[in-house]
Amino acid sequence: MLRFAAVGIDHGHVFDHIKGLLTAGCEFVGYCPETTPPNVLVKLATDYLDVPQADRDAILADPSIDIICIASIPRDRAGLAIRAMRAGKDVMTDKPGVTTVEQLSSVRNTVEATGKIFSICFTERHSVRSAVKAGKLVQQGAIGQVVQTMGMEAHQLQLSARPDWFFDPEYFGGIIVDIASHQIDQFLFYTGSETADVIASTVGNFAMPDKPKFEDYADVLLRSETASGFARVDWFTPDGLGTWGDGRLTILGTKGYIELRKYIDISGRPGKDHLFLVNDAGSTYIDCSGEKLEYFQAFANDVRDRTATAMTQAHVYEVCRLSLEAQAKAVRIGNQQGKIGND
């Protein structure tokens, strides 16, 4: 049985990693309690009473541990991943896996030197059942050749729950690196593109002039040899929605389209994971709440078999590269203090 531990629990996505790997038959054997939001530690200790806390150096030095899960402050994830891989562990990290070009280069060099897996859990695809179903429909040819994706990920700010680092791009890499990396991953995956170009990108601070470095809006336009992609991310979801965000994705094909309402259907259907398929056969609504999440089992299989079925390293690197490039090239609009990118 594969054994895993968590090192870095600064984001709630660590629970996706833990639940997913447990479902895949792995054993959760420990976690480092260092964290910036205390509520994450409280929930972890409550939900997993029998799992011991341990010093992170001891966890990394334990030869019986196969996998390290990382959801630390984004700036620290690459460094922890490199330490883990050098210690003989495969890594599952939260997005963004890296926040600088230098970190990406170091991660690549470490993977090449150690032969270990550096995988990023893009929860907007890997932990969303409607996104899994959409992938199957695309592979089955339900909408023909995919020519464009349009992703919109609106988030609730929830100010009272945010640690100080949340507002400083030095710590999270900027809104495109942090959030739009999800949409870049989805563009490459659903269009079958191995690489792409950043055509344009924008970041903005519209609602938080008191935190001038923070970015509460961004958009990105991508293009590959076969498809185009647009993504918009923001922190403007109103409290009245009833959930933390209204994530949507439209996948346009030559013979139809798919639309996902990932977390809520504002027209009234209960629950989440709503999928709408439109093609020559008609318009179909699919409740995807029973769809099986596949990434975690595939990752566990890759660790055991030394394969790359969950995600190739090339895909991981390209999502990181495009995210970093789009962030660096972004034109800033809105409140102009702390301006970055092009003038």
Side-chain angles (χ1 to χ4, degrees), residues 25-292:
C26 302
E27 181 183 4
F28 184 25
V29 298
Y31 60 94
C32 172
E34 293 183 34
T35 185
T36 49
N39 60 303
V40 175
L41 178 59
V42 170
K43 178 172 173 53
L44 196 57
T46 302
D47 290 356
Y48 301 99
L49 289 171
D50 297 330
V51 178
Q53 298 181 9
D55 177 79
R56 63 180 50 182
D57 290 336
I59 289 174
L60 293 175
D62 187 340
S64 73
I65 295 175
D66 305 288
I67 299 165
I68 296 295
C69 298
I70 299 172
S72 61
I73 295 173
R75 182 184 66 177
D76 300 334
R77 291 173 189 171
L80 285 171
I82 289 169
R83 287 183 60 194
M85 288 187 286
R86 287 177 177 168
K89 323 296 185 189
D90 293 304
V91 170
M92 177 187 292
T93 182
D94 188 19
K95 61 77 212 167
V98 302
T99 57
T100 69
V101 173
E102 293 75 18
Q103 287 183 358
L104 177 56
S105 178
S106 296
V107 165
R108 294 183 69 143
N109 290 339
T110 304
V111 170
E112 183 175 350
T114 64
K116 292 301 175 181
I117 298 170
F118 175 78
S119 186
I120 299 176
C121 179
F122 294 106
T123 52
E124 300 285 357
R125 177 164 67 89
H126 295 140
S127 296
V128 174
R129 299 177 195 278
S130 56
V132 174
K133 181 64 174 179
K136 292 179 179 179
L137 290 170
V138 167
Q139 291 168 4
Q140 293 164 5
I143 58 172
Q145 178 186 344
V146 175
V147 298
Q148 198 243 13
T149 64
M150 182 171 63
M152 292 179 285
E153 294 293 344
H155 291 64
Q156 229 172 39
L157 196 52
Q158 299 174 326
L159 272 173
S160 62
R162 302 297 182 180
D164 291 341
W165 62 261
F166 174 82
F167 301 100
D168 190 341
E170 180 183 344
Y171 287 83
F172 65 84
I175 189 172
I176 294 175
V177 168
D178 185 29
I179 303 178
S181 56
H182 281 305
Q183 280 65 48
I184 293 171
D185 161 70
Q186 289 169 83
F187 166 76
L188 294 176
F189 175 73
Y190 291 115
T191 65
S193 301
E194 294 182 358
T195 186
D197 296 316
V198 177
I199 305 305
S201 53
T202 305
V203 297
N205 178 325
F206 291 96
M208 302 194 70
D210 57 320
K211 298 186 183 299
K213 293 183 180 181
F214 188 63
E215 299 156 2
D216 53 21
Y217 173 89
D219 58 56
V220 180
L221 180 62
L222 300 171
R223 184 185 301 147
S224 72
E225 291 184 355
T226 61
S228 175
F230 175 79
R232 189 204 76 206
V233 294
D234 65 76
W235 290 100
F236 298 140
T237 294
D239 293 341
L241 180 66
T243 188
W244 62 266
D246 187 4
R248 304 186 187 191
L249 175 69
T250 300
I251 307 168
L252 176 65
T254 55
K255 297 181 179 179
Y257 63 90
I258 295 168
E259 183 176 349
L260 308 184
R261 299 287 180 90
K262 294 182 177 181
Y263 310 116
I264 190 171
D265 178 7
I266 59 175
S267 67
R269 291 182 181 87
K272 56 185 181 179
D273 286 306
H274 307 277
L275 185 149
F276 302 87
L277 168 65
V278 182
N279 57 20
D280 290 340
S283 177
T284 305
Y285 166 74
I286 302 174
D287 177 358
C288 302
S289 58
E291 194 71 26
K292 182 180 179 181

